[in-house]
Amino acid sequence: MSKRIFVTATNTNVGKTYTSKQLIKALFALGLRVGVFKPIETGVENFPLDGKELFDTACRYNPALHSLSINDIVPLQFPLPAAPFVANQGESVDLSVFDAPLAKIEALCDVVIIEGAGGLFVPIDKQTMMIDFPRYFNAVTLLVTHCNLGCINDTLLSAKALSDNDYRFILGFNCRADDETFEKTSLPYLNHRFGSIYRIDHDIDVIAKALLDTIST
């Protein structure tokens, strides 16, 4: 089994796919063959946009992945852009459906990035939420959070949920050009709380190494 990294976020549109793509490059720079897996994607019309973006990026750095199909990368696809529970009309999801495609990916890589959908408490079916994925996949988690006003609350809630589940995780802030007030309104407390923070745009190499170290412990 390859090393597994589960990429989640404090909410949708926070930057999971962007972060996963940066992580592919950083892990490749460390000499690793990287694979990608997005178990569920909703809002799929002709093909899964996020999954294809991940797949195309990973193939550039690991050409062996060309032997796979987009359906291996994204096994469950639903047209409605909603939580999987809603998009799948409340039907149960047998998580073992992910085992075979993940095994195909892992045969071609040293580390696989598993990207979630939405935030941690997105419901998959009546019993399962996205927060259950790190345990099912036995993966270390990268929690991506934003830098808008309100990021302190959102970050602490998601970090507490991961800690309460005894998950190993690394926290990364995806700061964008329009997050002009972050340094003044949020960073002072975050530095107080965490000592220092990792930013996706500046510290992705450090984040990659920290994730690998966490997997090894």
Side-chain angles (χ1 to χ4, degrees):
M1 186 177 74
S2 68
K3 297 176 174 64
R4 297 174 177 179
I5 297 168
F6 179 66
V7 178
T8 189
T10 52
N11 210 321
T12 191
N13 293 325
V14 169
K16 291 186 301 296
T17 300
Y18 168 78
T19 298
S20 295
K21 289 166 59 179
Q22 301 310 306
L23 193 55
I24 290 169
K25 300 173 189 177
L27 292 166
F28 172 79
L30 294 173
L32 297 171
R33 299 173 302 155
V34 186
V36 292
F37 188 50
K38 188 169 178 68
I40 304 172
E41 186 166 339
T42 64
V44 176
E45 296 182 1
N46 299 315
F47 57 86
L49 294 175
D50 289 346
K52 187 176 187 303
E53 198 171 339
L54 285 176
F55 190 28
D56 288 347
T57 302
C59 284
R60 287 200 292 273
Y61 295 91
N62 183 2
L65 296 173
H66 282 296
S67 63
L68 304 175
S69 73
I70 190 61
N71 292 328
D72 294 318
I73 305 302
V74 190
L76 291 186
Q77 305 172 23
F78 303 105
L80 183 67
F85 176 94
V86 178
N88 195 29
Q89 299 181 326
E91 293 294 320
S92 295
V93 174
D94 182 353
L95 298 187
S96 67
V97 72
F98 304 128
D99 295 349
L102 182 55
K104 291 173 67 175
I105 296 165
E106 290 194 306
L108 303 171
C109 63
D110 305 306
V111 57
V112 59
I113 297 168
I114 303 170
E115 185 185 300
L120 289 168
F121 287 97
V122 166
I124 295 171
D125 60 18
K126 294 176 183 177
Q127 291 79 35
T128 311
M129 291 188 170
M130 204 59 59
I131 196 169
D132 297 309
F133 271 4
R135 181 166 290 113
Y136 182 80
F137 291 119
N138 190 27
V140 65
T141 298
L142 172 58
L143 172 61
V144 182
T145 187
H146 62 90
C147 298
N148 297 325
L149 189 62
C151 67
I152 293 173
N153 179 73
D154 294 348
T155 301
L156 295 184
L157 283 173
S158 291
K160 185 178 188 304
L162 292 169
S163 296
D164 287 350
N165 279 273
D166 295 322
Y167 286 153
R168 300 166 296 160
F169 70 96
I170 300 295
L171 176 62
F173 284 79
N174 184 32
C175 295
R176 293 164 171 157
D178 58 352
D179 293 323
E180 298 174 353
T181 67
F182 176 71
E183 305 277 346
K184 181 184 295 185
T185 60
S186 302
L187 187 58
Y189 177 79
L190 293 168
N191 282 336
H192 162 75
R193 180 63 179 259
F194 298 109
S196 61
I197 64 167
Y198 294 138
R199 301 196 195 198
I200 303 301
D201 53 351
H202 296 151
D203 304 314
I204 194 64
D205 294 339
V206 179
I207 291 170
K209 291 176 182 176
L211 288 164
L212 293 175
D213 288 345
T214 304
I215 292 170
S216 300
T217 56

